[in-house]
Amino acid sequence: MFASLLTLLLGTIVLPPKPARYVTDNAGVLPADRAEAIDAKLKSFEQSTSDQIIVYIDRKVPDGTTLEEMSSQAVREWGVGQKGKNNGAILFLFTDDRKMRIEVGYGLEGSITDAHSRMITSELMKPRLKNGDYAGAVDAAVNAMMSFARGEDYKGSGRTVAAVNGWTSLGCWFPVIFFFAILGFIIFMATYGKKRGWVTTSGSGSSSSSNSWFSSDSSSDSSSGGDFSGGGGDSGGGGSSDSW
């Protein structure tokens, strides 16, 4: 009731919080291992293609809106897709309402067409959902969406938006950290190092222990299932709604 009134007053849809992962299961219908496997698969897919596909499962469509309105606004507000490409798509599943929808961003409409979306929901998902196989339905849909999306000529950078954002914020401080680290090292060696005999003023080079001070093994992106962060997306209502 309150949500409906707020929607009416503000003229906007009150969306659930932006998902933190590629697979969000607020209805608790996916076994943890299956959800984790699909999540990892979608993270890897973004790394290789730059396309973002996420899954959002809940019990009911939020009050005061329709499935179509909510899904279209979610692409924009959650920023599903990468900046300038709008190459995102969301698979929605509402278990109590028995409704589902694939919402497709502008950048993927040429490959995940309305007809493809309808085929996925009616032929791949509906029979499985009627049998209570939620994990099978989601997995089949995700595989088909990835397969169709590969038709778009987008190339991945090997990193997700979440990983790039993390390194960007750290990168602002890196020059400062680096400067003070070098300065501290010089002061340390000039004082304590001389006393210990680590630093010699004679030029003969028995500088034995150059203990690789920097092991730049910076693999920032872990290979397990991952944090989702939207880079920017928009949708014109492409996709398909269905029920079971």
Side-chain angles (χ1 to χ4, degrees), residues 166-207:
W167 274 103
T168 302
S169 58
L170 180 62
C172 325
W173 290 98
F174 185 75
V176 179
I177 296 167
F178 183 75
F179 171 76
F180 281 106
I182 294 297
L183 182 61
F185 176 70
I186 293 169
I187 293 170
F188 174 79
M189 293 302 286
T191 54
Y192 190 69
K194 238 180 219 185
K195 289 179 189 173
R196 301 285 294 177
W198 295 343
V199 177
T200 60
T201 50
S202 62
S204 94
S206 81
S207 317

Side-chain angles (χ1 to χ4, degrees), residues 40-239:
K41 179 161 52 180
L42 290 174
K43 175 186 177 180
S44 175
F45 182 68
E46 183 191 346
Q47 289 171 329
S48 62
T49 66
S50 85
D51 299 331
Q52 289 186 337
I53 294 174
I54 69 171
V55 177
Y56 185 84
I57 305 173
D58 214 328
R59 296 192 179 280
K60 290 181 171 292
V61 177
D63 289 337
T65 184
T66 65
L67 177 55
E68 290 74 21
E69 288 171 341
M70 180 221 167
S71 56
S72 180
Q73 186 166 320
V75 171
R76 292 190 294 275
E77 288 198 15
W78 293 347
V80 185
Q82 294 205 354
K83 192 172 182 181
K85 297 180 180 178
N86 297 318
N87 56 335
I90 309 176
L91 172 63
F92 287 99
L93 199 61
F94 294 96
T95 57
D96 288 359
D97 292 334
R98 302 178 74 84
K99 291 181 178 178
M100 54 184 154
R101 177 169 176 80
I102 293 174
E103 183 72 24
V104 183
Y106 285 121
L108 291 180
E109 284 183 348
S111 53
I112 307 178
T113 63
D114 292 358
H116 288 150
S117 299
R118 185 69 179 181
M119 183 275 289
I120 292 169
T121 58
S122 63
E123 296 182 24
L124 298 181
M125 296 185 72
K126 193 179 290 191
R128 291 174 170 86
L129 291 171
K130 285 182 175 178
N131 289 327
D133 182 11
Y134 290 95
V138 170
D139 211 7
V142 162
N143 287 338
M145 290 170 74
M146 290 192 303
S147 178
F148 287 128
R150 285 191 177 96
E152 292 292 348
D153 191 22
Y154 296 128
K155 298 287 185 289
S157 65
R159 287 188 176 178
T160 63
V161 171
V164 171
N165 288 345
W167 274 103
T168 302
S169 58
L170 180 62
C172 325
W173 290 98
F174 185 75
V176 179
I177 296 167
F178 183 75
F179 171 76
F180 281 106
I182 294 297
L183 182 61
F185 176 70
I186 293 169
I187 293 170
F188 174 79
M189 293 302 286
T191 54
Y192 190 69
K194 238 180 219 185
K195 289 179 189 173
R196 301 285 294 177
W198 295 343
V199 177
T200 60
T201 50
S202 62
S204 94
S206 81
S207 317
S208 41
S209 28
S210 84
N211 270 10
S212 59
W213 295 91
F214 300 98
S215 88
S216 41
D217 199 352
S218 336
S219 58
S220 65
D221 231 355
S222 69
S223 57
S224 59
D227 296 333
F228 163 76
S229 181
D234 203 357
S235 164

